[in-house]
Every structure is written in C-alpha cells, then in structure tokens.
Amino acid sequence: MKKEQQIQIFESVFEGLEKQKQKKDADGITHQINADRYTSSERLGQEKEVIFKHFPIVTGPATQLQKAGDYFLHDLADVPIIVMRGKDDKLRAFLNMCRHRGVRLLEEKEGKVKRNIVCPYHAWSYNTEGCLQFVFHPQGFSKVEEATHSLIELDCWVRMGMVFVVPNPDLKGKINIDSWLSEVYAITEGFEFGDFYPFHKTEGKLDCNWKLLVDGGLEGYHFKIAHSKTIGPYFLDNMSINTENKLHSCIIFPKRAMKKMKEEAPDEWNFRKAANILVHIFPNTVILIEPDHIMVVSFCPIDEKTTAYTSFMLLPKEPVTEKEKEYWTLNANIFWNAIKEDNEMAILQQKSFNGYSKTHLTVGSYEKLLLQFERLVDEALKGKELQA
Ligand code: FES
Ligand SMILES: [Fe+2]
C-alpha cells in the first residue's frame, strides 16, 4: 500500500475517533438481507457451480511444494485437483483422474511422486508435468498418445505464496490472474513478506454456511463484544476503515496503539504494527496481514449448512530453532482463539436459520462490506461478469 494511502488511513482513524465521540461516525442506513440465502440447498448448488468452479481459488501454500514431484490434493471445490511441481520446476494443477477410465490417481493428501504417477487400475502413467508416459499393451489403444491423453490441466498460478487454481478446465487460459488480483496487489505492494514459508496448516468442518464465515471477517462492529476475552481489548472499538474496492474487500482494524501514534510525525507511523489488515479475496479466502506474517483461511461449502475450512500461516522464513517455532505457534493460537469466537457466532446464526429462515436480517452502516460481498455473490449467480 502506498505511503500516502497509509497516512490517509491513519488520518481517517483520528477523524473517526472524533466523530465517534459526537456519534456522527455513520450514516445509519440499514439494509435487509433474507436469511434463506444461508439455508437454501438450491442456492448452494448454484454457488458451488458458478462461484467455486469459475473463479481462481486458493488451494494451498506454494512453498510446501519445493522439489519436483512434491504435490498436494484439493477436493473442496468438488473437483479433484492435484497441484504438483514438475521436473521443470513449474507448478501445475491437473484433474486427479486417469485419462483411461477415470480412476482417481493419487489418494494421499500430500506427498511426493518419485518419477511417474501410475494409475492403480491398468498402469497408465504420467510424469510430474502431467504428460502421458506409458500405456499398458498400447496396441489395444490406437490414437492414445501424449498430445491427446495427458492429464487435464487447469489454470494455476502462484501469487503471494498461495497457489490459485480455476477448477473448471474449460476456462483454461480465459482468466488473467494479475488483473483479477489487482486490488489485492494495491493493498500489499510495499509490504515485506519474505519467503511465504507455510506453517501451522489446519483444516476442519464447521456447521454453518460458508458465506456466514466470510461475513464475520468483514466488520469490526463485533470486536468489543464477541472478542472481549481475546483480541477485543487490543483494538479500537468499532473502528475500521474500508478501502474502496470493487471485488476483493480490504478492511483495516486499527489497534489501540494507533491513538498514541498521533503524537508522532506521519513518517514514523508503522502501518502494519498499528493495524491488522484483512483482505477478502473473492470468493472464499480471507488473508490477515499481521505485523510480521500472513494468516490465510479459505472456506469451501460442503452443503448449505456445513463448510470445510483450510488455513495456513505464511512466514517470512522457515522457523528453525525451537524458540522460533514456539513464537509462531503462539501467534497461531492467538489467531485461532479469536477465530473460534467468530466461528461460534456463525454457527449460532446457522442454528437459528436452520429452525427459521423466512425472515430478513438487518445490516447496518458498519457492515457495508458484508453487504457488498453478499451482493457480489448474487451478481455472480445472475451471470454478471465480475472484475476488479
Ligand atoms: S483407469 Fe487408469 S489405467 Fe485404466
Ligand atoms: Fe471477529
């Protein structure tokens, strides 16, 4: 983020504090959204089809795949995906499906392929670049060759230490990842992130709709209440600054320490220390930029009431000593203690809606980003092309 924008944000926090005192920090406009957007299985089916197959989604940390043959699987977009580093050092994504009669090729969630991926059914084999290498009794298969029967490749890019994949092979070559992520770059440019070393990978299931989990990150109105026992006291109450984005939201949560910085010269202001910066990468990933690392959490729907999450930290370098590992584990625990509180709220919302969803919910001026996200989902379902 450009220094001028950082200074502007500091200034809007100082202004916001004054406005808060006069109770003039919001326009007070409220909106309604229907609760059944979190319970409809038909809608969830459309979301899976339209949103989770057509946009680049984060599948895991790139640095986990250091050497040729290293791979991880991703199945959460209902498409079986292998992400693998080839002998040529390039990361690629393929459908995890044999080109003969479709057997799933790799079952272990992560690992290393020594030379070739060998299908367990009739031993057709593919190298680490996805190229067909061997057909058992090939005289039985005319016109089956590398050019026509290699693994089906998906669009795959590494950006900011994360592997983005578009799960629909028909869209290969159609998306420009750098224009898609341009808003994210505008936020992260100028920040130092180092090696994006992955640490503390976790995953699990939560009993709520995936959108509720995204919603929870898009407002700071709940901090003082829902996080009163964890991170709440470290942040300014109900104070967050949104940058003007069309697609990927950015919300900045200033810490209490920022108040003191008012006395310092703007050139001395250390933005990453003074605030946590949350970026929602549409559709389903939230990254939290902390002073010395990044937390990444992605939410994929299992059904309308259940979501799978995956998460990892991206560190500036590999922790080597026990002390370093302890430091990062402590950081992870602080984060998860707060996130658990967010998740619990989403689960309580879902519990209500599972019992009764023929109602509308009220979204106020402090929750505009949440509304924008929900609208983008609706626009995508209506077939509108989304662009940053
Ligand atoms: S299904 Fe893979 S070799 Fe036959
Ligand atoms: Fe929260």
Side-chain angles (χ1 to χ4, degrees):
M1 191 183 285
K2 293 206 165 58
K3 187 77 186 170
E4 307 86 76
Q5 195 183 359
Q6 296 181 22
I7 291 176
Q8 254 176 27
I9 290 170
F10 269 92
E11 279 163 356
S12 33
V13 172
F14 301 144
E15 255 173 54
L17 287 168
E18 286 309 309
K19 285 185 187 162
Q20 253 184 0
K21 276 188 209 153
Q22 301 157 23
K23 307 220 179 303
K24 285 185 181 154
D25 57 326
D27 59 18
I29 297 171
T30 56
H31 296 267
Q32 297 182 343
I33 55 174
N34 292 338
D36 62 6
R37 62 188 297 107
Y38 304 110
T39 56
S40 158
S41 58
E42 195 190 335
R43 167 186 253 279
L44 195 272
Q46 291 167 358
E47 288 172 357
K48 276 190 171 190
E49 204 43 49
V50 177
I51 293 173
F52 283 85
K53 295 203 180 28
H54 288 70
F55 298 118
I57 56 162
V58 173
T59 53
T63 320
Q64 184 185 334
L65 310 178
Q66 302 249 2
K67 302 224 169 82
D70 287 353
Y71 77 87
F72 58 69
L73 305 183
H74 186 278
D75 290 293
L76 298 174
D78 286 355
V79 175
I81 299 170
I82 305 173
V83 177
M84 180 179 282
R85 190 171 294 280
K87 277 217 179 69
D88 59 355
D89 206 33
K90 197 175 163 216
L91 272 189
R92 292 183 182 80
F94 309 106
L95 292 188
N96 187 7
M97 183 190 284
C98 180
R99 295 300 307 277
H100 175 216
R101 279 174 39 218
V103 158
R104 184 173 167 90
L105 292 165
L106 295 173
E107 261 295 74
E108 286 291 317
K109 272 192 177 168
E110 49 187 56
K112 186 179 190 66
V113 166
K114 285 214 179 88
R115 236 186 84 188
N116 285 334
I117 305 172
V118 181
C119 179
Y121 204 177
H122 315 91
W124 286 26
S125 307
Y126 309 85
N127 69 13
T128 55
E129 288 151 38
C131 305
L132 181 69
Q133 299 292 290
F134 173 79
V135 173
F136 191 42
H137 298 304
Q139 63 278 20
F141 296 89
S142 67
K143 296 191 187 148
V144 168
E145 51 202 43
E146 184 181 320
T148 55
H149 286 72
S150 289
L151 295 182
I152 296 175
E153 201 174 333
L154 308 169
D155 260 340
C156 172
W157 310 268
V158 176
R159 295 292 184 274
M160 294 187 59
M162 298 172 273
V163 184
F164 288 85
V165 174
V166 179
N168 182 348
D170 299 336
L171 294 179
K172 188 151 178 3
K174 303 228 166 99
I175 290 176
N176 178 331
I177 190 72
D178 294 319
S179 52
W180 176 257
L181 292 178
S182 56
E183 290 176 337
V184 180
Y185 298 159
I187 297 155
T188 55
E189 72 163 313
F191 293 154
E192 285 297 324
F193 297 114
D195 296 343
F196 295 111
Y197 189 84
F199 189 72
H200 206 275
K201 266 183 98 178
T202 49
E203 57 180 35
K205 275 185 201 170
L206 296 164
D207 291 328
C208 58
N209 187 282
W210 72 279
K211 300 189 297 302
L212 289 170
L213 294 160
V214 175
D215 292 348
L218 296 179
E219 48 92 354
Y221 177 50
H222 70 281
F223 263 49
K224 191 169 179 182
I225 314 299
H227 297 308
S228 63
K229 295 194 186 71
T230 54
I231 55 167
Y234 297 99
F235 289 85
L236 292 173
D237 173 34
N238 197 23
M239 173 63 65
S240 55
I241 307 291
N242 309 334
T243 62
E244 302 242 324
N245 293 6
K246 285 196 232 145
L247 184 61
H248 310 294
S249 317
C250 173
I251 179 165
I252 292 138
F253 300 113
K255 293 179 187 164
R256 283 193 177 276
M258 201 186 251
K259 255 183 171 174
K260 285 195 204 127
M261 291 182 184
K262 205 175 172 185
E263 319 305 323
E264 297 168 9
D267 270 357
E268 303 291 307
W269 292 341
N270 182 332
F271 193 64
R272 277 177 77 185
K273 271 202 180 140
N276 274 1
I277 305 155
L278 184 142
V279 184
H280 167 234
I281 305 179
F282 190 86
N284 68 326
T285 293
V286 170
I287 66 171
L288 186 68
I289 302 173
E290 299 201 44
D292 50 6
H293 68 287
I294 304 179
M295 293 291 320
V296 181
V297 190
S298 296
F299 304 109
C300 289
I302 296 170
D303 60 30
E304 67 280 10
K305 300 171 186 170
T306 328
T307 301
Y309 70 87
T310 49
S311 168
F312 48 89
M313 294 167 94
L314 293 171
L315 307 185
K317 65 182 179 62
E318 181 179 359
V320 186
T321 63
E322 277 315 303
K323 206 174 156 196
E324 283 168 345
K325 285 179 196 161
E326 266 170 37
Y327 170 77
W328 292 117
T329 306
L330 185 72
N331 257 280
N333 292 341
I334 293 170
F335 175 83
W336 278 105
N337 285 340
I339 292 294
K340 268 186 211 147
E341 293 169 334
D342 291 318
N343 295 347
E344 276 162 23
M345 292 304 125
I347 291 165
L348 289 179
Q349 286 176 292
Q350 189 70 43
K351 269 191 181 166
S352 305
F353 306 151
N354 290 349
Y356 189 74
S357 65
K358 284 189 207 140
T359 183
H360 64 257
L361 314 171
T362 309
V363 180
S365 359
Y366 302 122
E367 297 153 311
K368 281 185 179 147
L369 285 185
L370 179 166
L371 205 62
Q372 175 175 308
F373 160 63
E374 294 288 354
R375 276 187 186 144
L376 284 170
V377 170
D378 292 351
E379 284 174 13
L381 294 192
K382 283 183 198 141
K384 191 174 166 209
E385 204 179 317
L386 302 186
Q387 276 172 347

